[in-house]
Amino acid sequence: QHNPHWWGNRNTIVHLFEWKWSDIAQECESFLGPRGFAGVQVSPVNENIISAGRPWWERYQPISYKLTTRSGNEEEFGDMVRRCNDVGVRIYVDVLLNHMSGDFDGVAVGTAGTEAEPRKKSFPGVPYTAQDFHPTCEITDWNDRFQVQQCELVGLKDLDQSSDWVRSKLIEFLDHLIELGVAGFRVDAAKHMASEDLEYIYSSLSNLNIDHGFPHNSRPFIFQEVIDHGHETVSRDEYKDLGAVTEFRFSEEIGNAFRGNNALKWLQSWGTGWGFLPSGQALTFVDNHDNQRDAGAVLNYKSPRQYKMATAFHLAYPYGISRVMSSFAFDDHDTPPPQDAQERIISPEFDEDGACVNGWICEHRWRQIYAMVGFKNAVRDTEITGWWDNGDNQISFCRGNKGFLAINNNLYDLSQDLNTCLPAGTYCDVISGSLIDGSCTGKSVTVNENGYGYIHIGSDDFDGVLALHVDAKV
Ligand code: QV4
C-alpha cells in the first residue's frame, strides 16, 4: 500500500498541522490545487480528550471514533474531502491505532461530548474496556521489543491490536474514513504495534471510494511513523513492505548538512547511498510536527534561509515521497495552535502576498517553497544528471533537460558558467521571483546552445538557492 494515488503529475504532500476542515477545503480550491500540491496530511479526526490550555498534542489522546474535534465535525470533514478531491488534492488522515488517552482524574469529556474514564481504561464511546488493552507498564528500555510494543508510550493506554474486537473497531474507523473519500493514512506510533497486527488491519481495509474518483481496486496509501535512527531493535524494515515509512534519517541528515555540519558536496549520493530506505518506501521531510520542536540538527521555520535551501534540495532531488511541513508559530513544546478566547482554533489570514499573518506560519505559502512544488511537478520522471560541486558547499544538478538547481551555502559568492542541461533560452529563477506576463520578477538566466548559463548566487543574496525549469521559460 505504497501508492499515494496522486493526480496528474503532482507529487508533494503538505501537512496542514492543526488546520480546520473548512479552511483546508478553501485552501485546496484557492491555493493547493492551482499550485499543484498532490495531497494534504490532516491532524487526527477522531474525538480526543480536552487538556488544559489546549496543547496541540491533546489530539493524540483519543476518546472515541466520532469525527468531532477542534478542526470540525464529520459533515465538515466530508465536505473538505470532496472539495479537495474535486481539485485533485488527496487527503491523508493521521490515525491513532496504538492507544487511547492517558490518565485523567475522574470522568473525562471529549471534544464530541463523550465521557470516558481513562484511569479505568473505560471508553464507552467505542466501547473499549480494560480487557482491550495491554496491562499497564512503562517503556524504560527502547531496545526491549516487549516494552516498546506492549507498554504505554508516555502513559497512553495501549490497545491490544491482536484482539478481534480491537481490530474490528479500528478497521471500522478506517473504513468509515475511506467511505468519506480519503486516499490513505499516516499511522501514528506504528513502531509501538506489532507489524503482524498492522498487516492484518491494513489488508482488511476496503478499497478506496470510486465515487471520489479513485480507480477500482485502489488500496489505501499507508505511511507509518517509525522512528529509526539506525540500529534499533524494532526497525523500519519490519514495516516497509506494508506501506511507506517515515525516514527520520533524511530529516536529521538534511538538517546537519544545511546547518553547515556536513559539506553539501556529499549530497551527491543522497538517498539509498546514505542508507535510507528505497525511494518508494520512504516518506521524506525536512521537519515534522514533533522534531521541529526539538533542539538539535533538525531545521524548522525559525532558520528560514537554511530551511528554504534544505526544502529546495528535498523537492529537487529525486528521492522519496515528499511531505512539506506547514506549522503554526510556537515558543515551546506545548504552545497551542492559534485560538480565540473561547479556545476555538482560528482561521489563517493572509497578507497581499498570500503569506499567513495571524500565528500560522504556512511554509507552504512561501514562494521559495511552493515554487519548488511546481519544480518537482515539472521535472517528474526525469533522472538526476550533471552534478557539479566546488568541493564544499556549492552544488548544482539537472533533472533531465527539464530543471536545474544550484545552491550556495558557502560564505562567498557562486559566480560561474554551469551546465543547466536545459534547451537554449531565457529562464526565470523561481526562487527569487516568478514568470509573470512573459517576464521574470526575480533573477533570470540565459542558457546557450550547449546548455550552459551564467549562475550567480551571492553569499548575501536573500536566498541561497536558484531554480530553473521548463515551465518558467520566458
Ligand atoms: C506524562 C509523562 C509520562 C507519564 C504520563 C502519565 O511525561 O512519563 O507516563 O504523563 O500520565 C503528552 C504530554 C506527556 C504526558 C502524556 C500523557 O506531553 O508529558 O505524559 O501526554 O498524558 C504527542 C506529544 C506528546 C504527548 C502525546 C499525547 O508529542 O508530548 O504527550 O502526543 O498527547 C516516540 C514514539 C513516536 C512518538 C514520539 C513523540 O516512538 O511514535 O515519541 N510520535 C507520535 C506523534 C506524537 C504523539 C504520539 C506519537 C503519541 O507524532 O506527536 O505524541 O500519539 O519517539
Side-chain angles (χ1 to χ4, degrees), residues 309-326:
M309 283 192 266
T311 301
F313 181 80
H314 175 205
L315 298 179
Y317 196 97
Y319 171 78
I321 299 166
S322 303
R323 178 182 64 193
V324 167
M325 181 69 204
S326 187

Side-chain angles (χ1 to χ4, degrees), residues 56-58 60-61 96 99 102-103 142 153-156 186 188-189 191-192 225 227 289-290 333-334:
W56 60 271
W57 47 255
E58 68 172 34
Y60 291 84
Q61 302 206 29
L96 311 160
H99 54 260
D103 280 346
W142 284 73
L153 170 62
V154 294
L156 301 165
R186 170 207 185 251
D188 183 74
K191 182 186 195 174
H192 300 275
E225 189 223 8
I227 303 181
H289 71 280
D290 288 325
H333 183 265
D334 298 344

Side-chain angles (χ1 to χ4, degrees), residues 301-358:
Y301 72 88
K302 298 183 189 194
S303 308
R305 200 166 189 280
Q306 275 74 25
Y307 191 78
K308 286 179 282 184
M309 283 192 266
T311 301
F313 181 80
H314 175 205
L315 298 179
Y317 196 97
Y319 171 78
I321 299 166
S322 303
R323 178 182 64 193
V324 167
M325 181 69 204
S326 187
S327 318
F328 58 81
F330 62 88
D331 297 321
D332 59 42
H333 183 265
D334 298 344
T335 304
Q339 58 184 10
D340 65 16
Q342 282 75 49
E343 298 186 330
R344 290 176 302 211
I345 295 178
I346 59 174
S347 298
E349 287 167 19
F350 313 107
D351 68 13
E352 63 209 9
D353 295 327
C356 291
V357 289
N358 55 340

